[in-house]
Amino acid sequence: MNSAWSYVRGFERVSLCDWPGCNTSVIFMGGCNMRCPTCHNYTIAWQPEQVPAISRQSILTYLKNRAKWIDGVVVTGGEATLVPQLETVLHDIKALGMRIKLDTNGMRPDVVESLLQQQLVDLFAVDVKGPWELYPRLTGGTHSPEEARTGLSRIFALAQTAPEAFLFRLTQVPVLTPDHIDTARQYLPQGFTLKLQDYVAPRRSHAETDSETRRMSGDVVTGPHSAGHTESAQSQRH
């Protein structure tokens, strides 16, 4: 069985906007259970085999060497909760004394609950795509309204038990109207707010982006020969 680390398909060394108030590094896991038409990370999400894996050692060495300047690590995708034995990646990061934020679409509530119980994730950022009835359109036909309602209702129940560990966000894609957004906002448990993210149309020629603002990223490493990678020739000179 492949290690969970073998699913890593991108690494952003420094991000100032993926975790509010924190300097972070971002790990991108390959694979996704949705086919959202507005996805920026479509190659990593849908065709991860086309993107070189990044080694466990290179990432952990980078994080260890810069632990004093990095507040935490964001694990995103794709959809990270699909990765078998994801706990091994999170344990390795936690062993460095770092906090972890996990981005998820909320459709694997069993995994979220397990990670919460094991105290392996400090903050879950959960995407609420829109009203339940629009999920088939918003997810590329992968999830029905009932599947969306069931999965996220369980996430909302978990959030009520640990409110400090969850935030909810919605990207304002063109199909969504203000009424749609208000409907989605009403799904959240009492006391939670829905963070709205601006929509930026994806450029299919370059799909690796910052996961929080959907900006085009200039510092996403996709292999050991990329400039700036801890195993690249450029990095070995410094």
Side-chain angles (χ1 to χ4, degrees):
M1 180 181 296
N2 289 335
S3 162
W5 280 101
S6 70
Y7 288 80
V8 177
R9 289 296 187 272
F11 181 56
E12 189 168 2
R13 295 172 295 169
V14 179
S15 171
L16 303 180
C17 55
D18 272 85
W19 192 341
C22 296
N23 299 326
T24 65
S25 292
V26 186
I27 294 173
F28 295 82
M29 310 300 291
C32 191
N33 52 359
M34 291 184 175
R35 293 294 184 271
C36 304
T38 54
C39 182
H40 282 263
N41 290 351
Y42 78 103
T43 303
I44 286 176
W46 308 339
Q47 300 171 318
E49 68 282 355
Q50 295 187 10
V51 183
I54 301 176
S55 75
R56 169 184 180 272
Q57 189 58 49
S58 67
I59 292 177
L60 293 179
T61 297
Y62 176 87
L63 294 176
K64 182 177 180 180
N65 290 342
R66 290 157 179 81
K68 292 181 180 179
W69 297 277
I70 296 175
D71 300 314
V73 176
V74 176
V75 179
T76 187
E79 175 55 40
T81 62
L82 293 175
V83 175
Q85 300 180 353
L86 178 63
E87 294 90 343
T88 60
V89 172
L90 306 182
H91 274 296
D92 285 344
I93 297 170
K94 281 289 187 181
L96 299 176
M98 292 186 170
R99 301 168 65 213
I100 296 173
K101 170 178 172 275
L102 182 77
D103 295 340
T104 179
N105 58 35
M107 294 297 102
R108 303 287 309 277
D110 288 343
V111 175
V112 171
E113 182 174 12
S114 175
L115 298 178
L116 180 65
Q117 291 176 345
Q118 295 178 68
Q119 299 182 330
L120 288 174
V121 174
D122 298 278
L123 181 65
F124 294 93
V126 183
D127 290 317
V128 180
K129 301 292 184 181
W132 307 138
E133 66 268 19
L134 288 183
Y135 258 75
R137 182 174 180 182
L138 293 169
T139 67
T142 60
H143 287 78
S144 69
E146 187 55 38
E147 288 172 326
R149 184 197 308 271
T150 299
L152 283 172
S153 292
R154 289 190 56 192
I155 297 291
F156 295 152
L158 290 172
Q160 290 178 299
T161 70
E164 72 288 347
F166 288 84
L167 68 83
F168 300 98
R169 59 195 189 180
L170 178 148
T171 300
Q172 300 176 89
V173 299
V175 69
L176 296 176
T177 67
D179 286 344
H180 290 147
I181 294 172
D182 286 342
T183 297
R185 185 180 287 113
Q186 292 171 19
Y187 297 154
L188 272 58
Q190 185 175 1
F192 286 88
T193 59
L194 185 62
K195 178 182 179 182
L196 300 183
Q197 300 181 153
D198 293 336
Y199 169 73
V200 178
R203 291 168 52 195
R204 292 305 186 189
S205 62
H206 184 111
E208 284 99 17
T209 70
D210 167 74
S211 61
E212 191 73 28
T213 63
R214 305 302 189 236
R215 64 175 173 80
M216 301 314 299
S217 172
D219 196 25
V220 176
V221 176
T222 57
H225 302 296
S226 301
H229 192 281
T230 53
E231 294 179 348
S232 72
Q234 178 180 347
S235 292
Q236 296 302 320
R237 295 197 295 269
H238 297 286

